[in-house]
Amino acid sequence: MATAAAADAVFMDRALELAARGVALTSPNPLVGAVLVRDGRVVGEGFHTYDGVRHAEIIALESAGESARSATLYINLEPCCHKGRTGPCTHALIAAGVARVVAAMPDPNPAVSGRGFKQLRAAGIEVSTGLREAEARRLNEAFARWIVSRRPLVTLKSALTLDGQLVLPHAKRGAGKGARISQKDRWISSPESRAEVQQMRHASDALLTGIGTVLVDDPLLTDRTALPRRRKLLRVVLDSRLRLPLRSKLVRSADGDVLVFTRAKENSPKARALRRAGIDVVRLAGRGSKPDLVEVVAELGRREILSVLLESGAILNSAALAAGIVDKMRVFFAPKVAGAAGRKPGAASSPARFQAMQELQSVTIEPFGPDFAIEGYLRDVYRTR
């Protein structure tokens, strides 16, 4: 017979599974799943989506009906206790007669944090916390970063060979000048890694790149998972001098989902032409000719962008790290050696820069086909303000 602790873990895992169904559907709200259990049997469950408005707890209560009385609620995030687009979920849980709440973690939202638990306990509901907290924190790390700082979580993604090089597209031997390279010849990583990158895009609100990448690769930068999402992936380009070609795939596919940050004049002929093509062109202050990366992230936060995937080349990656805007890194390594065919992802560091290097925290390594990805954090996103 399963112990009470084991049963709690099973039902919390189900709540986390339900919460994950809201990926790309809840932003700027958190991912929340709820399971109501009575006498060892699930009597109601639900997960939140932004357009659905109702919170996961309310959906679970409606599903359970009278069976919610004396039931236990398993939820990955502290129930809300304030009025927003909906009423407080704590009030609904109390009114329904729920006897116990098992929550993975407190809400990082300062308007809630701990207050929801306090209300439930004051009403006589037993509350326990901390079960599967690490998994719950990871699930809502983008929401946490944004709610405490109004800045999105920025994840730097890159792909390298085992000798730490980026592979530049070269014409095949014997090809004439100007010969084009197939996309297959440009790929460093495996199909499994590339599929995972698409999942990363799907879970992100925005993708950020530099004009150099656009000019070299002419990418679409889209979410190709075909999974549902509430709003389109925002494709963001840093383009100091507005060199974005009007015939590029980005411009030709723009449908209110391409944003260009520039230092060029907002009323220039090129800026007007891009706007006519459906591109949002924003001039930002900066140092010299480059937009201020800190202000870029701040502006995305003002637009309720919770998560940004940085997919770019060495120059922008280095600048983003130097500016301190990167929260998390995920680097895919392929079992290949570029040798003279590649290039180093950054210039050699001076002794002072070497001493200032940051060490990734909470590092994990995960295989993807023949490749492996190293992931780690540059800061605790739950404590960044």
Side-chain angles (χ1 to χ4, degrees):
M1 181 180 294
T3 65
D8 283 351
V10 168
F11 294 128
M12 182 60 77
D13 286 342
R14 176 58 178 168
L16 287 164
E17 178 188 336
L18 288 168
R21 292 187 184 181
V23 168
L25 298 174
T26 63
S27 181
N29 284 357
L31 296 159
V32 184
V35 179
L36 277 167
V37 177
R38 181 174 172 178
D39 299 327
R41 183 176 63 88
V42 174
V43 294
E45 60 182 28
F47 66 95
H48 176 64
T49 60
Y50 187 87
D51 288 340
V53 181
R54 294 176 303 163
H55 289 186
E57 303 95 308
I58 304 303
I59 297 172
L61 287 172
E62 291 176 354
S63 175
E66 286 300 316
S67 295
R69 188 161 300 279
S70 301
T72 296
L73 172 72
Y74 295 87
I75 189 165
N76 61 295
L77 192 68
E78 177 181 5
C80 69
C81 59
H82 66 295
K83 182 174 176 57
R85 295 197 304 158
T86 66
C89 289
T90 51
H91 292 184
L93 293 169
I94 294 167
V98 170
R100 179 175 176 238
V101 170
V102 180
M105 60 174 286
D107 193 330
N109 185 350
V112 178
S113 190
R115 296 180 179 87
F117 294 148
K118 185 177 180 179
Q119 281 189 10
L120 294 173
R121 290 187 175 111
I125 295 176
E126 178 188 346
V127 177
S128 60
T129 65
L131 179 61
R132 298 288 194 264
E133 183 172 1
E135 294 86 346
R137 284 169 64 90
R138 179 180 172 85
L139 191 65
N140 273 310
E141 61 189 12
F143 172 75
R145 173 70 168 126
W146 182 77
I147 202 67
V148 301
S149 68
R150 296 296 164 173
R151 302 288 193 273
L153 178 85
V154 178
T155 300
L156 188 159
K157 186 280 299 181
S158 189
L160 300 175
T161 60
L162 285 181
D163 53 343
Q165 298 195 56
L166 300 166
V167 176
L168 296 175
H170 294 295
K172 291 182 179 179
R173 186 172 296 176
K177 182 178 181 181
R180 295 186 64 84
I181 300 302
S182 70
Q183 186 63 48
K184 181 179 179 181
D185 292 325
R186 298 185 184 190
W187 284 329
I188 296 175
S189 53
S190 66
E192 292 88 347
S193 291
R194 296 195 297 275
E196 177 63 16
V197 170
Q198 288 301 317
Q199 291 295 327
M200 293 173 69
R201 287 186 181 184
H202 178 67
S204 301
D205 289 340
L207 191 155
L208 174 63
T209 196
I211 186 60
T213 297
V214 176
L215 294 176
V216 170
D217 294 336
D218 191 22
L220 272 172
L221 303 177
T222 51
D223 170 5
R224 295 193 288 275
T225 62
L227 296 171
R229 57 185 306 137
R230 187 178 78 85
R231 50 184 180 179
K232 294 178 181 178
L233 177 68
L234 182 65
R235 298 174 286 171
V236 185
V237 181
L238 300 186
D239 185 4
S240 299
R241 293 179 284 152
L242 283 187
R243 292 184 290 158
L244 181 61
L246 293 173
R247 296 299 301 166
S248 66
K249 292 177 182 176
L250 271 175
V251 174
R252 286 185 288 134
S253 64
D255 185 21
D257 58 348
V258 179
L259 169 62
V260 173
F261 288 116
T262 187
R263 292 284 290 133
K265 294 181 179 179
E266 287 187 293
N267 61 350
S268 68
K270 182 62 175 290
R272 292 198 297 270
L274 288 171
R275 289 196 182 95
R276 285 195 297 271
I279 308 295
D280 189 359
V281 179
V282 176
R283 186 177 191 273
L284 288 181
R287 296 180 179 179
S289 62
K290 306 295 184 183
D292 184 337
L293 291 176
V294 173
E295 183 55 29
V296 166
V297 171
E299 175 59 25
L300 292 174
R302 286 190 285 269
R303 293 173 181 235
E304 295 191 332
I305 297 297
L306 273 58
S307 53
V308 175
L309 183 61
L310 175 58
E311 288 193 46
S312 191
I315 295 175
L316 179 53
N317 285 348
S318 296
L321 288 166
I325 67 167
V326 178
D327 302 294
K328 178 179 177 181
M329 293 184 66
R330 199 173 195 196
V331 181
F332 293 82
F333 285 92
K336 301 175 183 178
V337 177
R343 67 172 179 178
K344 296 293 183 184
S349 296
S350 66
R353 286 184 176 179
F354 183 82
Q355 292 175 357
M357 284 197 302
Q358 301 179 69
E359 183 175 348
L360 292 178
Q361 304 297 317
S362 302
V363 174
T364 58
I365 301 175
E366 187 176 1
F368 291 97
D371 305 341
F372 65 94
I374 296 179
E375 179 181 280
Y377 295 80
L378 291 169
R379 59 170 59 89
D380 182 349
V381 299
Y382 279 81
R383 295 186 179 181
T384 302
R385 295 186 180 273

